[in-house]
Amino acid sequence: MVKKKKKRKEIKRKLLHKYRLVILNENTFEEKISFKLSRLNVFITGSLFTVCLIALTTLLIAFTPLREYIPGYSSTKLKKQATELTYKTDSLVTVLNYTNKYLDNIRKVLKGDITNNKINRDSIFEQFKIDPSSIDLTPIKEDSVLRAQVALEDKYNLFEKNTKDVSQILFSPLNGSISQEYDLTIKHYAIDIVATKGTPVKSVADGIVVFSEWTAETGYVILLEHKDCLLSVYKHNGSLSKSQGDLVKAGEVIAAVGNTGELSTGPHLHFELWNNGSPVNPRNFIDFK
């Protein structure tokens, strides 16, 4: 016990023993600055200085842009840009999907490819079959009130309310005799109109040119997009008057009759109409007489 007490006193004495730190002029040995220090004071001061330095470094890293220079930290600006780019990428993917679908329809129009989907009609109507005995046909109060209101409105209505929507009027692209009709059985999705070479070919309706180029099989081809998802195609032309992206009016000259392309057998216009990616008979929309 005596030894332990002596040892403790010795440690205490060393910690509290006073030292003087003197700074002298090397040439004149003049005393400039002096400090009274002890080992305990030096240890406490050094510890406090270390803690303050660590705290200051932490604050600088956490609340200043200096943290961006430390590997592993990302800036707020980069995170914001990454989020915006993610939304833009998602939007571009959606637009790209719509564009690819649109181009597929254009490709079908140019190649004349359609798919004949055979559907079992019985399987479609089966899900809508209802047992009449399971339906309660007793009129409800709301139905009676609605019928009375409709009858009263019709009684004093001088004009017909339900007017039929009339689709756009299509003009004949060319005056001439028809050499071949629209025929799905032989995959002829057009009407061939014979005319003199150089005869003007006109647009059937207002629209925009989405394709105006030369193809090996059908020669000079021009394709117009109209409202209501309607496309009109003019093939085997001798020359084209419009370019891709041009706006055209109904009856405006867009090409001239020719005999171009490997599949052409004489001066004529190969005219097609496509609705929502499927061919339709032009005679159902245009009077060629």
Side-chain angles (χ1 to χ4, degrees), residues 57-94:
T57 305
T58 304
L59 291 175
L60 288 174
I61 294 175
F63 300 102
T64 64
L66 290 175
R67 65 178 181 274
E68 298 178 11
Y69 297 96
I70 300 176
Y73 283 90
S74 59
S75 66
T76 306
K77 184 178 180 181
L78 288 177
K79 289 182 178 179
K80 185 178 179 181
Q81 290 178 349
T83 304
E84 292 177 352
L85 289 176
T86 302
Y87 287 127
K88 288 182 179 179
T89 303
D90 184 65
S91 301
L92 289 175
V93 168
T94 303

Side-chain angles (χ1 to χ4, degrees), residues 167-230:
S167 59
Q168 58 181 325
I169 299 176
L170 302 182
F171 298 90
S172 177
L174 182 66
N175 293 326
S177 59
I178 296 176
S179 59
Q180 188 172 0
E181 296 283 354
Y182 176 88
D183 192 351
L184 284 176
T185 58
I186 60 174
K187 294 187 177 181
H188 187 260
Y189 310 124
I191 287 182
D192 290 340
I193 307 173
V194 178
T196 306
K197 189 174 182 180
T199 303
V201 177
K202 302 176 183 178
S203 172
V204 296
D206 296 348
I208 184 172
V209 179
V210 295
F211 183 84
S212 179
E213 294 291 343
W214 163 272
T215 62
E217 293 182 351
T218 56
Y220 286 108
V221 179
I222 186 168
L223 192 154
L224 304 183
E225 181 183 12
H226 312 284
K227 66 177 183 179
D228 300 329
C229 299
L230 189 67

Side-chain angles (χ1 to χ4, degrees), residues 25-279:
N25 189 328
E26 185 178 0
N27 296 325
T28 62
F29 294 101
E30 181 183 359
E31 182 178 336
K32 295 295 185 180
I33 303 175
S34 65
F35 300 97
K36 288 184 179 180
L37 302 174
S38 65
R39 293 180 179 179
L40 182 60
N41 290 340
V42 172
F43 175 75
I44 293 175
T45 304
S47 300
L48 291 176
F49 177 77
T50 303
V51 171
C52 292
L53 184 62
I54 293 173
L56 181 61
T57 305
T58 304
L59 291 175
L60 288 174
I61 294 175
F63 300 102
T64 64
L66 290 175
R67 65 178 181 274
E68 298 178 11
Y69 297 96
I70 300 176
Y73 283 90
S74 59
S75 66
T76 306
K77 184 178 180 181
L78 288 177
K79 289 182 178 179
K80 185 178 179 181
Q81 290 178 349
T83 304
E84 292 177 352
L85 289 176
T86 302
Y87 287 127
K88 288 182 179 179
T89 303
D90 184 65
S91 301
L92 289 175
V93 168
T94 303
V95 173
L96 181 62
N97 291 334
Y98 282 123
T99 305
N100 289 336
K101 186 176 179 181
Y102 177 76
L103 291 177
D104 288 339
N105 289 335
I106 299 296
R107 195 175 294 110
K108 288 180 181 179
V109 173
L110 295 175
K111 292 184 178 180
D113 295 335
I114 61 172
T115 55
N116 295 323
N117 299 324
K118 295 182 178 180
I119 302 174
N120 187 359
R121 296 182 62 189
D122 296 334
S123 63
I124 297 177
F125 297 134
E126 186 68 28
Q127 57 181 331
F128 298 105
K129 289 184 178 179
I130 302 175
D131 185 8
S133 61
S134 62
I135 304 176
D136 184 12
L137 300 177
T138 305
I140 60 175
K141 181 179 179 181
E142 289 79 1
D143 180 67
S144 301
V145 173
L146 179 60
R147 288 176 180 272
Q149 290 178 353
V150 173
L152 186 61
E153 289 178 358
D154 292 340
K155 183 177 180 180
Y156 298 102
N157 191 6
L158 299 178
F159 303 97
E160 189 175 336
K161 294 183 66 177
N162 296 324
T163 58
K164 184 179 180 181
D165 292 334
V166 180
S167 59
Q168 58 181 325
I169 299 176
L170 302 182
F171 298 90
S172 177
L174 182 66
N175 293 326
S177 59
I178 296 176
S179 59
Q180 188 172 0
E181 296 283 354
Y182 176 88
D183 192 351
L184 284 176
T185 58
I186 60 174
K187 294 187 177 181
H188 187 260
Y189 310 124
I191 287 182
D192 290 340
I193 307 173
V194 178
T196 306
K197 189 174 182 180
T199 303
V201 177
K202 302 176 183 178
S203 172
V204 296
D206 296 348
I208 184 172
V209 179
V210 295
F211 183 84
S212 179
E213 294 291 343
W214 163 272
T215 62
E217 293 182 351
T218 56
Y220 286 108
V221 179
I222 186 168
L223 192 154
L224 304 183
E225 181 183 12
H226 312 284
K227 66 177 183 179
D228 300 329
C229 299
L230 189 67
L231 295 174
S232 60
V233 186
Y234 314 78
K235 297 181 179 179
H236 302 303
N237 298 290
S239 61
L240 302 176
S241 304
K242 298 294 180 180
S243 303
Q244 184 176 353
D246 290 345
L247 296 175
V248 297
K249 294 291 184 179
E252 185 176 355
V253 177
I254 57 174
V257 173
N259 183 27
T260 58
E262 298 175 357
L263 301 179
S264 180
T265 57
H268 74 287
L269 172 66
H270 180 95
F271 176 69
E272 302 176 10
L273 274 182
W274 292 71
N275 187 18
N276 287 319
S278 300

